[in-house]
């Protein structure tokens, strides 16, 4: 089995193949060639923060870890082995982590080849896990297989809030000029609210981009704060334009409007339309909670704008992460549009298992059930899961694990509802792992 890219996804995929009876050949271009963010010589490098987020099973990241433990994840096991004290967060000594992952792969019999791959190998199957900073030559080869319009080099991510945390007393449903169903949730602002909001946006601190990310913005995905800096009225003529959005409660058009669009079929998540941003996370929470209706909003994902090679997975991949047009090719990790270290490892884990199933021809591919956060995320990013139909037309932006991906039991109390979601997820994962996964390692 050939796996291209020895990051979190590629390392996890190779480990799953090797410990389930396959032979894994893992190509990694380091140390001969490095992306602008990679510095270590060893595999599974954490390029930025050393935090793998919360370990608390009551959080989406903690639940994801609990599920991955049941799937025998290498990345999780080594992270726990090399962890540093960080309260409820799983943080690691990044060098020890990377060295230990590399050792574990060698011990498992993975063949590691340190060279850049410049075109998709002819092997069947092959797993592509070259990450957000895929080398240029290889990206060109991916392009030939998926089409230029389906391969992106930057993301422009707008924040997403949980529907249940929106104060709907302050918002109204409407679509512009009443064209089509009233699908958008509108947050109206009066003049004073708008002016205060624009000032706060301009004053808020942004993330300083890495040198390799400081390219000019495309007009269509300018950060909201950069638009605000162009002049006090710019947003009113841009993403916050109120035209055609009469508030049915007052019969008048508000001074400005923030539109929220459903992010998933269940309607548990709403996206702030046109609000891609580079503001620091803490600033986003502060400034966006000034929007009427979002005063107590809980964010499932915060906005980002950075260099990120990824494919249009909902249009290209099956839920097993196979290219529909060329099923021998699997994609894994951040290049599929999952966001985050553990999410990338999860994607690699499943691609590894499935590529081995395909190679051995023994049984069909597998994916965890939709009640699990792992299964829900795989369905979200793929084209043949729950999010088809209308949602397949949504512009694709990377996604992390969050509770909005899971269907919500009819329980009013949020804490109890989340606890139920966790209980259902773990029970479903245990059942599935028992029935569908061969033991490994
Ligand atoms: C600057 C930056 C900061 C980030 N910060 C965070 C963070 O703080 N927290 C977080 O959760 N996520 C962060 N991310 C996202 C992070 O990259 C992913 O979460 C995770 O590393 C993705 O795993 P991956 O295996 O898909 O890719 P990677 O871990 O990047 O692994 C891809 C591997 O493929 C290799 N490669 C690339 N092209 C080729 C080729 N042609 N031939 C052979 N090998 C190749 C690369 O050298 C690399 O080792 C950040 C990303 C970037 C770019």
């Amino acid at each position: 089995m050939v796996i291209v890219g020895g990051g979190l996804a590629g390392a996890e995929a190779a480990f799953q193949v090797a410990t389930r009876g396959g032979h894994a050949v893992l190509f990694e271009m380091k140390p001969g060639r490095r992306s602008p963010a990679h510095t270590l010589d060893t595999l599974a490098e954490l390029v930025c923060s050393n935090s793998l987020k919360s370990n608390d099973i009551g959080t989406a990241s903690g639940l994801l870890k609990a599920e991955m433990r049941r799937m025998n994840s290498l990345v999780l096991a080594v992270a726990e082995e090399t962890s540093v004290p960080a309260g409820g967060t799983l943080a690691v000594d990044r060098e020890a982590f990377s060295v230990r992952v590399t050792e574990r792969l060698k011990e498992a019999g993975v063949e590691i080849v340190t060279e850049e791959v410049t075109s998709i190998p002819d092997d069947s199957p092959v797993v592509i896990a070259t990450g957000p900073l895929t080398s240029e030559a290889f990206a060109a080869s991916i392009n030939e297989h998926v089409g230029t319009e389906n391969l992106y080099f930057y993301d422009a991510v707008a924040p997403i809030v949980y529907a249940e945390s929106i104060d709907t007393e302050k918002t109204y449903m409407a679509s512009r000029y009443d064209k089509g169903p009233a699908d958008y949730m509108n947050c109206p602002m009066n003049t004073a609210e708008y002016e205060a909001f624009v000032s706060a946006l301009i004053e808020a601190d942004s993330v300083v981009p890495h040198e390799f990310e400081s390219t000019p913005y495309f007009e269509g995905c300018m950060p909201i704060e950069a638009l605000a800096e162009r002049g006090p009225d710019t947003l009113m003529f841009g993403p916050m334009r109120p035209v055609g959005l009469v508030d049915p409660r007052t019969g008048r058009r508000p001074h400005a409007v923030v539109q929220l669009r459903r992010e998933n079929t269940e309607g548990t998540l709403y996206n702030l339309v046109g609000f891609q941003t580079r503001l620091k996370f803490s600033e986003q929470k502060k400034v966006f909670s000034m929007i009427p209706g979002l005063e107590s909003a809980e964010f499932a994902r915060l906005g980002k704008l950075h260099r990120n090679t990824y494919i249009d997975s909902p249009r290209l991949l099956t839920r097993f992460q196979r290219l529909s047009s060329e099923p021998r090719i699997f994609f894994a990790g951040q290049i599929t549009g999952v966001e985050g270290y553990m999410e990338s490892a999860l994607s690699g884990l499943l691609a590894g298992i499935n590529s081995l199933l395909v190679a051995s021809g023994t049984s069909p591919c597998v994916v965890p059930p939709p009640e699990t956060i792992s299964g829900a995320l795989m369905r979200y990013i793929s084209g043949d899961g729950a999010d088809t139909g209308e949602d397949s037309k949504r512009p694709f932006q990377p996604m992390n694990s969050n509770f909005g991906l899971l269907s919500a039991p009819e329980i009013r109390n949020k804490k109890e509802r989340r606890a139920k979601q966790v209980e259902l997820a773990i029970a479903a994962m245990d059942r599935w792992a028992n029935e569908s996964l061969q033991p490994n390692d």
Side-chain angles (χ1 to χ4, degrees):
M1 186 90 43
V2 168
I3 296 148
V4 188
L8 293 164
E12 186 73 65
F15 180 79
Q16 298 300 327
V17 170
T19 55
R20 291 171 194 278
H23 177 63
V25 184
L26 178 60
F27 285 85
E28 166 54 53
M29 67 179 181
K30 297 189 305 179
R33 190 165 184 166
R34 294 174 200 280
S35 84
H38 288 81
T39 56
L40 302 179
D41 288 351
T42 37
L43 302 172
E45 179 172 349
L46 305 177
V47 287
C48 189
S49 162
N50 68 334
S51 162
L52 278 67
K53 297 196 185 156
S54 179
N55 234 340
D56 173 0
I57 197 168
T59 66
S61 326
L63 175 58
L64 176 63
K65 290 184 188 72
E67 293 180 7
M68 289 176 69
R69 199 166 288 119
R70 285 162 168 79
M71 293 185 269
N72 211 358
S73 156
L74 170 71
V75 165
L76 182 60
V78 175
E80 284 171 342
E81 197 185 318
T82 57
S83 65
V84 294
T89 296
L90 178 59
V92 301
D93 172 326
R94 85 178 67 236
E95 273 192 45
F97 170 79
S98 172
V99 166
R100 189 68 191 120
V101 167
T102 310
E103 281 170 4
R104 289 284 304 269
L105 290 178
K106 287 180 183 162
E107 285 160 19
V110 173
E111 188 182 333
I112 299 168
V113 184
T114 48
E115 65 184 47
E116 181 189 0
V117 178
T118 52
S119 64
I120 296 184
D122 290 333
D123 300 72
S124 180
V126 56
V127 178
I128 296 171
T130 44
L133 302 172
T134 292
S135 76
E136 218 172 290
F138 196 61
S141 172
I142 294 174
N143 221 347
E144 283 168 20
H145 290 261
V146 305
T148 315
E149 69 285 7
N150 295 319
L151 179 65
Y152 308 126
F153 293 95
Y154 277 86
D155 55 30
V157 170
I160 292 177
V161 292
Y162 287 107
E164 65 188 12
S165 68
I166 301 170
D167 181 355
T168 50
E169 296 280 302
K170 298 192 174 159
T171 63
Y172 60 98
M173 300 301 293
S175 57
R176 212 176 288 282
Y177 297 116
D178 292 328
K179 278 191 191 148
D183 283 341
Y184 286 81
M185 197 184 288
N186 298 284
C187 309
M189 279 189 192
N190 61 31
T191 311
E193 285 166 339
Y194 174 78
E195 286 171 0
F197 180 70
V198 170
S199 312
L201 258 184
I202 293 171
E203 279 164 25
D205 283 342
S206 291
V207 173
V208 180
H210 296 267
E211 206 175 304
F212 62 89
E213 294 181 308
S214 52
T215 50
Y217 302 122
F218 297 107
E219 195 59 31
C221 56
M222 287 278 285
I224 190 85
E225 61 277 11
L227 280 176
E229 276 169 16
R230 286 183 172 178
D233 292 340
T234 309
L235 291 178
M236 265 174 56
F237 291 98
M240 293 177 69
R241 66 192 181 284
V243 289
L245 289 173
V246 171
D247 185 340
R249 297 163 309 176
T250 61
R252 285 203 303 271
R253 195 175 83 180
H255 184 72
V257 171
V258 176
Q259 288 206 294
L260 310 180
R261 184 176 55 222
R262 267 164 72 134
E263 183 64 27
N264 59 349
T265 318
E266 295 78 14
T268 51
L269 297 172
Y270 274 84
N271 186 309
L272 276 67
V273 180
F275 271 56
Q276 57 274 2
T277 177
R278 265 194 168 151
L279 293 188
K280 289 184 172 161
F281 284 176
S282 54
E283 298 281 50
Q284 290 188 40
K285 288 184 186 162
K286 207 166 69 192
V287 177
F288 298 149
S289 66
M290 293 171 73
I291 298 170
L294 302 193
E295 293 85 351
S296 307
E298 196 189 341
F299 290 84
R301 180 184 80 186
L302 283 157
K304 286 190 195 125
L305 222 152
H306 50 43
R307 174 79 178 76
N308 189 7
T309 312
Y310 69 103
I311 59 171
D312 196 347
S313 293
R315 283 147 195 92
L316 297 174
L317 297 187
T318 71
R319 75 180 77 171
F320 308 117
Q321 303 177 80
R322 303 175 80 177
L323 199 55
S324 308
S325 57
E326 269 182 278
R328 76 178 181 90
I329 301 178
F330 284 79
F331 281 87
Q334 182 124 343
I335 198 165
T336 65
V338 293
E339 173 86 35
Y341 294 145
M342 290 312 294
E343 285 85 346
S344 298
L346 165 77
S347 163
L349 184 153
L350 293 169
I353 291 174
N354 280 323
S355 60
L356 185 62
L357 288 173
V358 167
S360 55
T362 46
S363 37
C365 289
V366 294
V367 67
E371 295 83 6
T372 64
I373 207 130
S374 323
L377 183 60
M378 288 302 107
R379 283 165 178 79
Y380 181 89
I381 64 150
S382 71
D384 67 351
D387 278 335
T388 49
E390 272 308 297
D391 276 1
S392 69
K393 291 186 199 131
R394 66 187 150 87
F396 181 54
Q397 287 295 337
M399 184 55 96
N400 55 0
S401 51
N402 65 74
F403 280 107
L405 299 174
L406 299 174
S407 50
E410 299 266 324
I411 301 173
R412 271 187 81 78
N413 180 286
K414 184 173 131 192
K415 217 166 153 198
E416 288 170 16
R417 189 168 58 249
R418 292 260 163 102
K420 189 71 188 169
Q421 284 177 310
V422 169
E423 184 193 316
L424 293 173
I426 293 296
M429 176 53 74
D430 280 339
R431 257 192 325 271
W432 176 79
N434 246 340
E435 286 162 12
S436 310
L437 288 188
Q438 300 295 322
N440 68 340
D441 203 30

